[in-house]
Amino acid sequence: MTTQLFKSIFIQLTILLLFFHGFGLKAQEQCDVQLGHGLIITEDVIRIVDRGQTRVQINNDNQLFIKGRWKVLDEQNSQVLRQYSLGLRDTVPEIVSLATDGVNLGLTAIEQVVTGFSDKEPEVLKDQLKYVEQALMERFKKGDDFFYIAPQSLSKLDDFFEKEISGKIHSAVHGSLGAILVALGDAFESNEGNIEERISGMGDRMDIIAKEIDRSLQLKAEQLEMKAAEYCGYLKILDETETQLQQIVPQLLEFDLVQVK
């Protein structure tokens, strides 16, 4: 029975990783758009940042500052600025939310699976998941009213999820599996309760958790797949609006944000 349990652990965690890998890939299908600078969006302010410094700032969707200097626009040009600002607000926060929520969903699922077998979350898992979260936050950050996206190619996000994030998750899972096996071995040696009942209970919990993970990640994958083309379309329209705004304020060319390849 012990061998069957160990086999079940490996199979279920492998399925989990495959689902996680899948929705990361579908999120950015066919999206040949580059963000040339970092972008921070809050309730009242949009900031285009470069090397930690704000280069372009839009206040309340109607005031434009470049390198700290206010650019006065007439009513017609202010409408272009507003269209650009609202376009960023309509698109970027949702991209950030789906990216961070997707990863967090996968991390929570892993924690549920591991805790289901070991009755506690191994320290090695906590440590490894910190590296996953750190890698994510370098690209995407989200607060109560704060969204950040780093300069990056949106057509390369599949590589980010597939290689970097997935690799770190593999490390976390493999380390946790070792901790689970050690914990089970200790339990056998110390005769803690009815071990066979404990193993059977873990199997039942695993089945329930696996089904919920399956359902949740599949829904997320479908949602991201449907949104992928929509994001690209919005960003390409946004690039056109940005080009129009650059014609009005040529200084903005230095801080070209949305770049369609």
Side-chain angles (χ1 to χ4, degrees):
M1 185 176 291
T2 304
T3 301
Q4 292 176 346
L5 172 63
F6 292 166
K7 183 178 179 181
S8 175
I9 295 174
F10 278 101
I11 290 174
Q12 297 293 355
L13 287 176
T14 299
I15 291 173
L16 171 64
L17 288 173
L18 287 174
F19 271 112
F20 188 84
H21 165 82
F23 76 72
L25 253 172
K26 292 181 180 180
Q28 296 297 337
E29 235 173 44
Q30 307 276 321
C31 191
D32 195 11
V33 178
Q34 173 88 29
L35 294 181
H37 300 274
L39 185 70
I40 297 172
I41 297 180
T42 63
E43 183 177 359
D44 300 321
V45 179
I46 292 176
R47 292 192 287 147
I48 297 175
V49 297
D50 181 36
R51 298 179 182 178
Q53 295 188 354
T54 298
R55 303 301 186 180
V56 177
Q57 180 168 320
I58 303 173
N59 293 344
N60 300 309
D61 304 321
N62 60 20
Q63 286 185 325
L64 175 65
F65 294 83
I66 302 177
K67 294 182 178 180
R69 294 178 177 270
W70 181 24
K71 298 297 179 180
V72 180
L73 303 176
D74 61 27
E75 183 175 351
Q76 182 177 357
N77 292 337
S78 293
Q79 288 301 315
V80 178
L81 175 64
R82 178 175 175 80
Q83 182 181 354
Y84 178 63
S85 180
L86 293 179
L88 291 173
R89 291 186 180 280
D90 288 343
T91 307
V92 173
E94 191 170 5
I95 293 175
V96 173
S97 294
L98 283 178
T100 54
D101 292 348
V103 173
N104 291 336
L105 176 62
L107 300 186
T108 299
I110 291 172
E111 291 173 338
Q112 289 176 334
V113 170
V114 173
T115 305
F117 280 104
S118 64
D119 292 336
K120 63 180 180 179
E121 183 180 348
E123 288 299 321
V124 65
L125 178 65
K126 293 181 181 180
D127 293 340
Q128 290 292 333
L129 293 186
K130 287 179 183 178
Y131 291 112
V132 179
E133 292 170 355
Q134 181 179 352
L136 177 68
M137 290 181 66
E138 289 175 357
R139 296 286 193 102
F140 307 95
K141 294 180 185 177
K142 172 185 163 185
D144 291 337
D145 181 36
F146 174 91
F147 299 90
Y148 168 77
I149 188 168
Q152 58 192 291
S153 172
L154 298 184
S155 62
K156 300 296 183 182
L157 281 182
D158 55 346
D159 287 341
F160 172 64
F161 283 102
E162 177 185 358
K163 296 177 182 178
E164 186 170 352
I165 294 296
S166 180
K168 291 182 185 300
I169 289 175
H170 273 282
S171 297
V173 170
H174 291 163
S176 299
L177 283 174
I180 293 170
L181 298 181
V182 170
L184 288 174
D186 291 343
F188 273 106
E189 290 180 4
S190 60
N191 294 319
E192 295 178 0
N194 189 318
I195 299 300
E196 290 191 3
E197 288 184 3
R198 187 178 178 191
I199 291 174
S200 177
M202 287 180 183
D204 293 339
R205 290 169 66 187
M206 187 64 222
D207 288 339
I208 294 172
I209 293 171
K211 289 178 182 178
E212 181 61 24
I213 291 169
D214 187 335
R215 186 187 68 82
S216 298
L217 294 186
Q218 187 61 40
L219 287 174
K220 177 61 68 174
E222 293 171 359
Q223 181 184 19
L224 289 171
E225 185 175 21
M226 287 188 295
K227 283 290 184 179
E230 183 180 343
Y231 286 153
C232 292
Y234 283 152
L235 287 168
K236 288 175 181 177
I237 293 173
L238 192 56
D239 180 52
E240 295 174 0
T241 305
E242 184 178 44
T243 298
Q244 187 178 355
L245 190 59
Q246 289 167 347
Q247 293 172 349
I248 297 170
V249 186
Q251 296 96 320
L252 286 173
L253 286 168
E254 184 180 352
F255 308 108
D256 192 28
L257 179 65
V258 185
Q259 303 167 10
V260 178
K261 302 298 182 180

